[in-house]
């Protein structure tokens, strides 16, 4: 026959072993209650903070403005009148002139056409200069432009600082993407000797 006392001992020993194995499996499984066979589990995310980096960008930009300017606008009449007077003087000068004194003087004839052209040119330049100096001052607006460098600051997202909890411990890690409400963690169990 079977001894009831031995049977109770054996059942108690089996129950105690099962309880210890279950307790060990629960502590290894963490908060999820699942023991990962592949060495990974999920932890609860408690906070996510975006991390930015400020970048300065230099961009060329054209800047324009209206500026008041003064100028003199001479009429062409000064050059025309000066040219006519110069042509007349040049023609008369080219007609001829006396050279020498007394009875040994003689009369030279010049080239009337060349004298007239040269006189007209000199007269036009002188007449234009006098007319420009006496012309009234006028005012106008001109657009002026220059290229300037504009510095802009741009914020660039570099990642997320993630706080998470696993087995009652709090951890911090930086990730490239927002993890959501949980994050996958690697579970490493090593024996303590």
């Amino acid at each position: 026959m079977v001894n009831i006392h031995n049977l109770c001992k054996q059942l108690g020993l089996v129950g105690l072993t099962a309880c210890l194995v279950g307790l060990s499996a629960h502590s290894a499984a963490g908060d999820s209650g699942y023991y990962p066979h592949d060495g990974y589990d999920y932890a609860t995310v408690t906070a996510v903070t975006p991390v930015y980096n400020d970048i300065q960008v230099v961009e060329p930009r054209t800047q324009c403005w209206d500026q008041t300017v003064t100028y003199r606008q001479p009429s062409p009449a000064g050059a025309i009148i000066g040219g006519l007077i110069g042509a007349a003087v040049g023609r008369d000068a080219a007609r001829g002139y006396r050279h020498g004194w007394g009875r040994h003087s003689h009369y030279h004839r010049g080239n009337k056409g060349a004298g007239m052209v040269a006189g007209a040119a000199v007269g036009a330049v002188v007449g234009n200069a006098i007319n420009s100096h006496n012309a009234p001052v006028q005012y106008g607006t001109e657009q002026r432009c220059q290229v300037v460098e504009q510095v802009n600051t741009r914020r660039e997202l570099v990642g997320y600082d993630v706080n998470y909890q696993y087995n009652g411990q709090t951890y911090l890690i930086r990730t490239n993407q927002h993890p959501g409400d949980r994050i996958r963690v690697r579970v490493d169990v090593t024996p303590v000797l």
Side-chain angles (χ1 to χ4, degrees):
M1 279 243 172
V2 177
N3 188 353
I4 293 187
H5 184 56
N6 279 344
L7 185 60
C8 284
K9 274 183 167 182
Q10 286 178 348
L11 283 175
L13 188 57
V14 168
L16 181 62
T17 304
C19 186
L20 288 174
V21 168
L23 184 61
S24 173
H26 176 72
S27 67
D31 293 338
S32 68
Y34 166 74
Y35 183 76
H37 296 289
D38 63 353
Y40 293 95
D41 197 6
Y42 288 93
T44 304
V45 173
T46 57
V48 177
T49 307
V51 179
Y52 295 97
N53 195 9
D54 290 337
I55 299 172
Q56 290 189 341
V57 179
V58 178
E59 298 173 343
R61 181 175 64 90
T62 303
Q63 182 180 27
C64 296
W65 66 94
D66 289 335
Q67 185 171 359
T68 302
V69 293
T70 59
Y71 58 94
R72 294 180 186 264
Q73 184 70 33
S75 73
I80 293 171
I81 293 171
L84 291 175
I85 292 171
V89 169
R91 186 197 63 209
D92 287 344
R95 270 195 190 157
Y97 59 92
R98 291 187 66 81
H99 181 67
W101 290 98
R103 29 186 238 161
H104 296 290
S105 69
H106 54 281
Y107 189 70
H108 286 275
R109 291 200 169 252
N111 187 345
K112 288 187 216 175
M116 196 162 74
V117 170
V122 171
V125 169
V126 170
N128 190 38
I130 292 170
N131 193 27
S132 294
H133 182 64
N134 293 332
V137 175
Q138 296 182 7
Y139 298 92
T141 354
E142 289 183 3
Q143 187 179 47
R144 305 285 169 103
C145 296
Q146 70 179 7
V147 176
V148 295
E149 291 182 346
Q150 182 173 347
V151 179
N152 294 323
T153 302
R154 187 178 68 212
R155 296 190 89 188
E156 185 176 272
L157 180 68
V158 289
Y160 297 90
D161 283 344
V162 179
N163 292 326
Y164 64 95
Q165 270 189 332
Y166 187 78
N167 274 345
Q169 297 288 322
T170 302
Y171 301 94
L172 172 67
I173 190 170
R174 181 167 289 175
T175 62
N176 292 332
Q177 297 174 346
H178 193 291
D181 59 349
R182 65 184 192 150
I183 189 168
R184 191 171 186 214
V185 294
R186 183 190 316 262
V187 178
D188 186 22
V189 179
T190 55
V192 177
L193 301 177

